[in-house]
Amino acid sequence: MVLNYIWIAFFAIAFITGIGKLLFMGDFSVFPVMMNATFDSSKTAFEISLGLTGVLSLWMGIMKIGEAGGMVNILARGLSPLFCKLFPDIPRNHPVIGNIFMNISANMLGLDNAATPLGLKAMEGLQELNPQKDTATNPMIMFLVLNTSGLTIIPVSILVYRAQMGAAQPTDVFLPILLATFASTLTGIIVTSLFQRINLFNRTVILALGGACVVVAGIVWGFSRLDKESMNLWSTTIANILLFSIIILFISAGVRQKINVYDAFIEGAKEGFGTAVRIIPYLVAILVAIGVFRASGAMDVLIDGITGIVKAFGGDADFVGALPTALMKPLSGSGARGMMVDAMETYGADSFVGRLSCIFQGSTDTTFYILAVYFGSVGIRYTRHAVTCGLLADLAGIMAAISVAYLFFN
């Protein structure tokens, strides 16, 4: 529903802007340019979707091997001690704990197709423990915030889009995304814990979150001591080593579990092909709307206005061009994806704005969509502090994304 209003607003604002330029500026070219933008954007959307097929099939195949090889279960067991402390209201050894662990683990590995069913199953289990069926419980809210903060170890789709858009090193945003999404998730946990009065000062939580913070701080400190060229070289090299190691690890896990890794890969690759085909109409719809919005001049008015405000306060406005992706992300995943693609198309995949838009896309998840789907699936009407905590996590992710983008790329 939100995306419906956004989509209509893009066309309405573009039309009003075009009429204004025609009547007050005598610009008779504005509507031909807008119509050409609809054709060009449709062509671009199809070409991007077509180009995604191969790489998306590759990674979906690798992910299927990891899933069949038990990597999701391994990650879930590793998260178990921490998550038991974050969900103190759930009875010990309750079956819903397993569904929560599996959902978060699948999200961290980028297994969206597996994560959503597991998430809905977890919400059903949490609803069974809910004494007020129309009101969100503390465990529900913590679970939702962990989902909306979007912690992802392997941002496959973003790397695939960067490859398709011609980035020289598609993986150069891997570490920045990891840092930004960690900041978002950590903020979400802390804020939600404050609302729910969960004690984070215990040995398990301090070791887990504190250790992660030390690692992240070490990465930031180490890279801040390098010049930009060395930083880019090391970042890309480490990212590629990690990603290739994950491929080897997943295949090894599949062999260890004695599954047919080739058949598992083919099954996942088929899903990747299907996914690439399914996104064509969605990508056409959002890119055409953005293309018309940009061709009318409305996007320039928006960007120039925000740039003027930032500069008036003495700030650097290089990040503003990527800001539409960040503003769209809490509302619509496909809308934010379209904004990311538009930014790379307009400014270049290897530009500061192009890279920052990718970091924005990977730093958080679609807050309102997740809240609507997960709460709606079990009839929750009163969400209590879920929206507040989710949006604060989004804000932390946006600020972290800007910071790490300036550190790595500007």
Side-chain angles (χ1 to χ4, degrees):
M1 183 62 71
V2 171
L3 186 57
N4 176 53
Y5 293 134
I6 292 171
W7 198 68
I8 293 172
F10 274 134
F11 283 102
I13 294 171
F15 180 75
I16 293 170
T17 304
I19 290 294
K21 292 178 74 172
L22 177 64
L23 295 178
F24 298 107
M25 299 175 62
D27 186 354
F28 286 89
S29 66
V30 61
F31 279 98
V33 169
M34 289 167 63
M35 282 308 303
N36 287 337
T38 64
F39 299 124
D40 293 340
S41 299
S42 300
K43 180 181 178 182
T44 299
F46 178 76
E47 290 174 346
I48 290 172
S49 300
L50 191 63
L52 287 174
T53 306
V55 185
L56 198 56
S57 295
L58 166 66
W59 276 102
M60 291 293 283
I62 295 297
M63 290 300 177
K64 179 61 71 173
I65 294 174
E67 184 181 0
M71 291 307 299
V72 174
N73 289 324
I74 292 172
L75 189 54
R77 287 198 298 270
L79 292 172
S80 177
L82 172 63
F83 279 27
C84 284
K85 300 296 183 182
L86 297 180
F87 296 92
D89 295 340
I90 299 178
R92 198 169 188 82
N93 298 323
H94 193 281
V96 73
I97 295 177
N99 291 321
I100 292 174
F101 293 157
M102 295 287 282
N103 167 261
I104 301 299
S105 301
N107 273 325
M108 291 174 70
L109 293 175
L111 301 172
D112 295 336
N113 291 337
T116 300
L118 289 168
L120 294 176
K121 183 68 175 176
M123 285 300 292
E124 290 176 6
L126 291 171
Q127 182 69 337
E128 291 176 3
L129 299 172
N130 187 2
Q132 294 180 274
K133 299 303 182 183
D134 62 348
T135 303
T137 62
N138 284 349
M140 283 181 174
I141 295 172
M142 178 64 80
F143 175 60
L144 264 294
V145 171
L146 288 172
N147 271 269
T148 61
S149 62
L151 181 61
T152 303
I153 297 175
I154 313 172
V156 174
S157 61
I158 296 172
L159 303 184
V160 169
Y161 275 106
R162 284 187 56 73
Q164 177 58 19
M165 297 301 293
Q169 292 291 343
T171 56
D172 59 6
V173 297
F174 177 80
L175 281 179
I177 288 175
L178 197 59
L179 295 174
T181 189
F182 172 77
S184 174
T185 301
L186 181 62
T187 301
I189 290 174
I190 292 174
V191 170
T192 308
S193 296
L194 290 174
F195 270 98
Q196 299 180 3
R197 298 181 181 178
I198 296 173
N199 180 22
L200 296 180
F201 294 99
N202 61 73
R203 185 172 178 272
T204 301
V205 175
I206 290 176
L207 285 177
L209 298 184
C213 288
V214 169
V215 171
V216 169
I219 293 173
V220 173
W221 178 82
F223 277 96
S224 66
R225 296 173 64 86
L226 301 174
D227 59 70
K228 297 299 179 183
E229 184 176 343
S230 299
M231 186 185 298
N232 192 30
L233 176 64
W234 277 102
S235 173
T236 303
T237 301
I238 292 172
N240 284 308
I241 290 174
L242 288 174
L243 289 171
F244 195 76
S245 298
I246 288 169
I247 293 175
I248 298 300
L249 178 64
F250 281 16
I251 293 175
S252 300
V255 172
R256 185 171 179 272
Q257 293 295 323
K258 297 181 180 180
I259 67 169
N260 189 322
V261 293
Y262 181 79
D263 286 348
F265 177 86
I266 296 301
E267 183 183 349
K270 288 178 181 178
E271 293 179 7
F273 181 84
T275 300
V277 172
R278 284 196 302 273
I279 66 173
I280 292 176
Y282 299 97
L283 204 54
V284 169
I286 196 66
L287 284 187
V288 167
I290 295 171
V292 170
F293 189 77
R294 185 177 290 281
S296 71
M299 181 72 82
D300 293 333
V301 172
L302 175 64
I303 297 300
D304 290 345
I306 298 175
T307 299
I309 294 172
V310 172
K311 288 184 175 179
F313 285 93
D316 187 301
D318 289 348
F319 71 91
V320 175
L323 207 53
T325 304
L327 298 177
M328 182 69 72
K329 191 60 193 282
L331 302 172
S332 166
S334 58
R337 188 185 307 116
M339 287 293 188
M340 177 187 71
V341 171
D342 179 70
M344 287 192 285
E345 181 80 15
T346 303
Y347 298 94
D350 289 328
S351 66
F352 179 75
V353 171
R355 284 165 165 158
L356 178 55
S357 66
C358 294
I359 302 172
F360 279 145
Q361 177 72 1
S363 62
T364 61
D365 213 328
T366 313
T367 299
F368 288 104
Y369 174 80
I370 291 175
L371 290 172
V373 171
Y374 280 28
F375 278 153
S377 68
V378 292
I380 295 296
R381 296 173 56 198
Y382 303 106
T383 60
R384 299 172 60 212
H385 50 275
V387 174
T388 301
C389 293
L391 291 180
L392 285 174
D394 289 344
L395 179 61
I398 290 171
M399 295 173 65
I402 295 172
S403 299
V404 296
Y406 274 103
L407 173 64
F408 280 82
F409 303 120
N410 193 35

